Amino acid sequence: MIRIAVVEDQVLMRSALISLLGLEDDITVIGEAGSGDEIAGLIATASPDVILLDIELPGKTGLEALEELRLSHDRLPAAPTEGTGHEIPAVIIVTTFGRAGYLRRAMDAGARGFLVKDDPVETLAEAIRRVTRGETVVDPLLAAQALSSGENPLSEREIQVLVASDEGAPIADVAEGLHLSPSTVRNYLSSAIGKLGARNRAEALSNARREGWI
């Protein structure tokens, strides 16, 4: 049996996924969660083979949780013999937001699959089986979009400054929160705004989110 966990904040959607996948003969749901902050505990207590992970979650987003999971795994000591290492579950992103930027971030963070919620449950079930065999499964239309789109032009610091300046946060507050000088914050904002062809930081943040870069 393939042991899976479902991380989805919408209770109706989570219940539907659990019910439908429970009809598969070789798949069993052994855990569920409604926020990104619960993922580490879910892995520790349930040990799923596969996690179905939404992106838009309360607390940490699905992508943030996935990135942290990968980083924490990379910091663990290497196993002395093959097959005895610290393994993390295969992660399949299942989201409403089929954006090329999200796909790139998810793959860079180690996701093994990326599907949109419009796909039929049969597609999802087969994707679960394929990732347990070591394959990578990506929605074909989204994969084509990702290939045709450019790389994220923003640096990590520019992303941090843009996110921290959401809803018009004062420059001084952003600087204090990120331990930067106000002039440095202004420089990062100016650079990000220019790269995104925006008129101001609010538009820059909106453009970046629309592309899935933030």
Side-chain angles (χ1 to χ4, degrees):
M1 294 290 286
I2 303 171
R3 297 158 50 84
I4 73 166
V6 180
V7 183
E8 161 67 58
D9 64 318
Q10 296 181 25
V11 177
L12 185 61
M13 175 62 72
R14 187 168 74 240
S15 298
L17 282 173
I18 291 171
S19 296
L20 290 170
L21 290 171
L23 299 175
E24 302 292 325
D25 293 336
D26 57 344
I27 294 173
T28 181
V29 180
I30 49 82
E32 60 179 286
S35 75
D37 296 332
E38 299 175 76
I39 294 175
L42 181 62
I43 292 172
T45 57
S47 300
D49 301 312
V50 179
I51 293 180
L52 304 184
L53 180 60
D54 193 12
I55 289 179
E56 296 295 326
L57 294 169
K60 298 183 183 74
T61 68
L63 292 177
E64 289 170 345
L66 177 59
E67 289 161 353
E68 288 187 10
L69 184 63
R70 177 60 58 183
L71 286 174
S72 64
H73 176 264
D74 290 344
R75 294 191 191 105
L76 292 171
T81 57
E82 185 178 356
T84 62
H86 306 274
E87 297 298 328
I88 61 175
V91 174
I92 301 176
I93 299 292
V94 183
T95 180
T96 303
F97 303 97
R99 298 170 183 166
Y102 281 166
L103 171 59
R104 288 178 181 273
R105 286 179 61 192
M107 294 297 105
D108 288 344
R112 298 285 292 280
F114 197 109
L115 300 173
V116 294
K117 290 178 181 176
D118 289 341
D119 290 328
V121 70
E122 293 82 8
T123 299
L124 179 56
E126 184 57 27
I128 291 170
R129 298 181 183 103
R130 289 176 62 186
V131 300
T132 60
R133 296 196 296 264
E135 300 179 41
T136 297
V137 183
V138 177
D139 179 88
L141 178 59
L142 188 57
Q145 292 173 351
L147 287 173
S148 63
S149 68
E151 296 284 347
N152 185 350
L154 301 174
S155 70
E156 189 63 34
R157 206 45 135 164
E158 288 166 347
I159 291 173
Q160 291 174 350
V161 169
L162 268 181
V163 171
S165 67
D166 196 8
E167 298 183 357
I171 295 293
D173 290 352
V174 175
E176 181 179 358
L178 295 176
H179 306 291
L180 299 171
S181 69
S183 61
T184 299
V185 168
R186 290 190 186 93
N187 288 339
Y188 280 127
L189 285 174
S190 177
S191 176
I193 289 168
K195 287 179 179 179
L196 296 171
R199 293 169 295 182
N200 51 52
R201 55 177 164 165
E203 185 175 290
L205 186 58
S206 176
N207 291 350
R209 283 177 169 157
R210 184 180 64 248
E211 294 295 334
W213 290 329
I214 291 180

